Structure formats: structure tokens, C-alpha cells
Amino acid sequence: MSDKAERLVVEVLKGRAPVGRIPIWMMRQAGRYLPEYRETRAKAGSFLDLCYSPELATEVTLQPIRRYGFDAAILFSDILVVPQAMGQKLWFEEGAGPRLDPIEDGSGVAKLDVSGVCDRLAPVLETVARVREKLPRETTLLGFCGAPWTVACYMIAGKGTPEQVPARLFSYQRREAMDALIEKLIVASVDYLVAQLKAGADAVQIFDTWGGMLTDAQFERYVIEPTRRIVEGVRHIVPQALVIGFPRGAGVRLPDYFVRTGVDGVGVDWMANRAFVRDRVQRIGAVQGNLDPMCLVAGGENLDREVDDILEAFSDGGFVFNLGHGIVPETPVENVERMIARVRGRHVV
Ligand code: CP3
């Protein structure tokens, strides 16, 4: 048996399904819903101090694996460390989320430096190596980055916004500057993902949380093409690299995204039509998702029913159980236990 033969998430991404049982992990699985996370976070001081401490970031990456035995660990970091490594000012406001010094025009883009990204992110890469060393042999390690469009949304607005108005406006008013920004993010993302894979990640996930906010033509220009180029760029250096794309809100654009970007699996949000995903998406490759994080907060019989429906829809093909977006801090830990027990209770032949 090869070294990675029994890592179930890797097997599913390679198209070897069914693999005995449905693997499971959760987006944002290391986070504030866990008391042990809150404790380590308090020790670190700020969220960014935690991201840049290989010792503490390794600890919080491993916490959900110890508690629940998930089939994959995801590196503890944030998508916004990349703009920070390119020279943009970043801080997290307690209770409010990320803040950046907004990019206003082409001169703001020109100042960004992509050449030293991996040097500046050395502590994060060190975390990847440490986690791989401590992780059970059968657990998949996932690295990640934000997709160019989603990272650009925060770089332009300087904060999270519900409909990404600043970035959408910027894309029309300053098309060249937008193209230049996306280009820089493609280059930085390729370097960063390659470095994560070399440090020990088994696969990487590209988070495009705000992809669903775009018109068809923009989805093509800012989501599909940049993601395709990242996948191509990474595989140029690491030919067997496994990549999961998560274009939240892509809806009917999912098959096109899947085929044209060349990713091995797609994350599916909770809004997706299950029959469509099963019939039109899962035949292309692996699917991951799509439990509504709010259903996990509520728990009870609704949760059981949703878990069953999701398994019913997807367990005949390549599938990794997950949420349709990140777990929220209000989630009771008992509900996570209940979900895992229900997924694990279901065996596939
Ligand atoms: O999934 C994991 O457990 C790995 C770590 C991870 C974090 N952020 C930790 C985090 C990952 C993969 C991310 C990705 C990320 N970060 C995305 C894409 C996926 C998504 O959730 O949409 C985005 C858009 C960000 C940017 C970001 N970081 C926002 C908008 C916020 C504020 C919202 C919030 O939950 O506080 C963060 C902060 C953040 N990133 C926290 C964690 C654990 C909470 C910070 C804290 O502990 O105070």
C-alpha cells in the first residue's frame, strides 16, 4: 500500500469512489465554537498572532482532529494573509472581522509586491510541515488560499461587505487595474499553494466565497479563468496536485467551472439543487458539501433529516461530507457529534 493509499479524502479526489465510507470534515472546523480553540486563541493574543505562530496554529489545526477524528485537517490560517504578504495593511477588529487599507486604483495595485509572498508566509508553511508530522497517517491535510476574485473583494472594500459592491464597481470603473490585481493574485496563489504542497499538504482548496455575486461574463473572467490558471500553474510544478474549488453561489455554473478549471473536486454550498449536482456535477468529479451551517446550529431531527437527504443524494458517487459554508461560532458541539455519528453510521459498499 502506498503511503497515502488510505487517506480517504485523497482517494475520493482521485476518483476512487466508493472508498468504504463517506469521509467527513468541516469548513472552519478549527474555530470559536470549540472551547479549546478559544483557550489557545486567548493565549495567542490576536487572531493574526495565532496564524503566524507555528506552534499554536499547529495546535488549533489538530484540535478538531483530536476531538472528532475528522478525515481531513485544514491548515489554520486565513485567506487574507496573502494580501498582507503582498504589502497591504491588514488587521482584525474584535467582533467585526477583517480590515485592510483599501486599494483605490491602479497605483494601489502597482505597489503590491508578489515576489516575497512565500518568504513572508514562512511561519504558515512551517505550520503545514508540523501538522503533517503530528497528524494521524490516515488523515488528509488540506492547504488553501482564497481565489483571486474573493481576495480582491476584501482588498478593494477593505472589509467584508454583503454584496461586494465596491469590488463590482471597481471592476467596471477600473477594468485594467482589476485585471492587474487578479494577475498578481494568480501569481501569488500559485507560489503559495505550491509551497504548501511541498511542505506536506495532500491537496489544496481554493475558496471563492463571493463568486456567486458576478454576471456570467465576469464569472468567466474573474472566477473560471484565474482558477484555471492557478490549477495549471500549480500542476506545472507539482504535476499530481489535487485541488478542490469552492465557488460559493455558482449554481448552474458549477459544471462549467468544474470542467474548465480542471479542479478534482468542488465544494457545494447549501443553496445548490441536489438533483442538479448529482446528475450534472458529480459525474465530472468529486463533490463536497452541502449541509446548511444553520441546520447544524439548530440540530435535532431537522439535522438528521438533512444529513440523510444529503447522503441519499450523493453517496453513490465521489463525495466528501461537509458543510455548505463555514461552521458558525454559535454551533453547539453536541450537534457536531450528532452529525458525525449519523454520517459515520452509514456505510457504502
Ligand atoms: O477552515 C478552517 O478551519 C481553516 C482556517 C480558515 C479561517 N478562515 C480561519 C478564521 C479558513 C480556511 C478561512 C478562510 C476564509 N477567511 C474565507 C473563505 C471561506 C469563508 O469562510 O468564506 C474568508 C472570506 C476569510 C476572511 C475572514 N476571516 C473573515 C470574513 C473573518 C471574519 C468572520 C469571522 O468568522 O470572524 C475571518 C476571521 C477568521 N478566519 C476566524 C477564523 C477561525 C475567526 C477569528 C477569531 O478567532 O476571532
Side-chain angles (χ1 to χ4, degrees), residues 28-30 32 37 41 47 74-75 77-78 154 209 325:
R28 287 280 180 96
Q29 63 190 16
R32 286 166 295 181
Y37 170 83
R41 165 88 159 72
F47 171 66
I74 182 158
L75 163 71
S77 180
D78 198 84
Y154 290 94
T209 306
H325 195 197

Side-chain angles (χ1 to χ4, degrees), residues 160-165 210 213 248:
T161 66
E163 292 186 318
Q164 309 316 319
V165 164
W210 300 111
M213 290 291 141
R248 194 174 69 119

Side-chain angles (χ1 to χ4, degrees), residues 4-295:
K4 291 178 184 175
E6 71 281 31
R7 287 179 195 157
L8 293 188
V9 175
V10 167
E11 294 300 294
V12 171
L13 291 174
K14 285 183 175 168
R16 296 192 195 121
V19 290
R21 63 179 176 79
I22 303 287
I24 175 171
W25 67 280
M26 294 191 307
M27 287 193 272
R28 287 280 180 96
Q29 63 190 16
R32 286 166 295 181
Y33 75 105
L34 286 179
E36 58 269 37
Y37 170 83
R38 294 196 296 268
E39 207 175 289
T40 313
R41 165 88 159 72
K43 221 192 284 174
S46 76
F47 171 66
L48 281 173
D49 288 334
L50 181 52
C51 291
Y52 290 115
S53 159
E55 188 194 339
L56 299 180
T58 299
E59 167 59 21
V60 293
T61 304
L62 295 171
Q63 283 169 350
I65 309 304
R66 277 191 215 118
R67 186 186 265 261
Y68 298 118
F70 284 120
D71 295 291
I74 182 158
L75 163 71
F76 187 84
S77 180
D78 198 84
I79 62 168
L80 300 177
V81 297
V82 169
Q84 187 179 37
M86 291 162 77
Q88 192 175 12
K89 197 166 168 234
L90 167 73
W91 68 103
F92 279 79
E93 255 164 38
E94 214 53 57
R99 292 289 182 272
L100 303 97
D101 204 1
I103 302 276
E104 282 166 1
D105 51 30
S107 72
V109 176
K111 280 189 212 131
L112 298 166
D113 168 27
V114 293
S115 65
V117 163
C118 288
D119 287 344
R120 294 196 192 95
L121 295 177
V124 180
L125 298 166
E126 164 77 23
T127 303
V128 174
R130 287 197 194 193
V131 171
R132 186 61 272 173
E133 206 147 281
K134 293 198 171 161
L135 209 55
R137 202 169 166 274
E138 68 276 12
T139 312
T140 299
L141 175 56
L142 299 172
F144 71 90
C145 72
W149 163 250
T150 287
V151 176
C153 284
Y154 290 94
M155 294 176 81
I156 293 164
K159 61 182 180 182
T161 66
E163 292 186 318
Q164 309 316 319
V165 164
R168 283 161 52 212
L169 202 52
F170 190 99
S171 74
Y172 293 113
Q173 292 177 333
R174 303 178 190 278
R175 189 166 156 109
E176 276 176 28
M178 190 68 180
D179 284 348
L181 177 55
I182 296 284
E183 190 62 33
K184 285 194 165 180
L185 287 166
I186 292 171
V187 173
S189 303
V190 169
D191 286 353
Y192 185 41
L193 293 181
V194 164
Q196 291 180 37
L197 289 161
K198 287 186 172 169
D202 296 300
V204 289
Q205 178 155 325
I206 301 174
F207 286 89
D208 221 340
T209 306
W210 300 111
M213 290 291 141
L214 296 168
T215 66
D216 265 343
Q218 289 175 321
F219 190 80
E220 173 75 40
R221 191 178 183 91
Y222 301 131
V223 172
I224 293 182
E225 182 58 15
T227 306
R228 186 195 70 70
R229 289 208 25 227
I230 292 172
V231 172
E232 180 184 72
V234 168
R235 293 211 183 115
H236 183 69
I237 301 167
V238 184
Q240 308 303 321
L242 294 170
V243 186
I244 304 168
F246 176 51
R248 194 174 69 119
V252 296
R253 298 164 177 163
L254 261 176
D256 205 24
Y257 171 93
F258 207 164
V259 168
R260 300 203 12 242
T261 59
V263 293
D264 303 279
V266 287
V268 173
D269 57 58
W270 72 91
M271 301 161 279
N273 179 289
R274 288 186 191 139
F276 178 84
V277 172
R278 185 193 57 227
D279 298 339
R280 302 275 311 278
V281 181
Q282 204 173 21
R283 65 168 57 181
I284 304 166
V287 159
Q288 171 181 283
N290 81 323
L291 184 76
D292 185 350
M294 292 311 128
C295 183

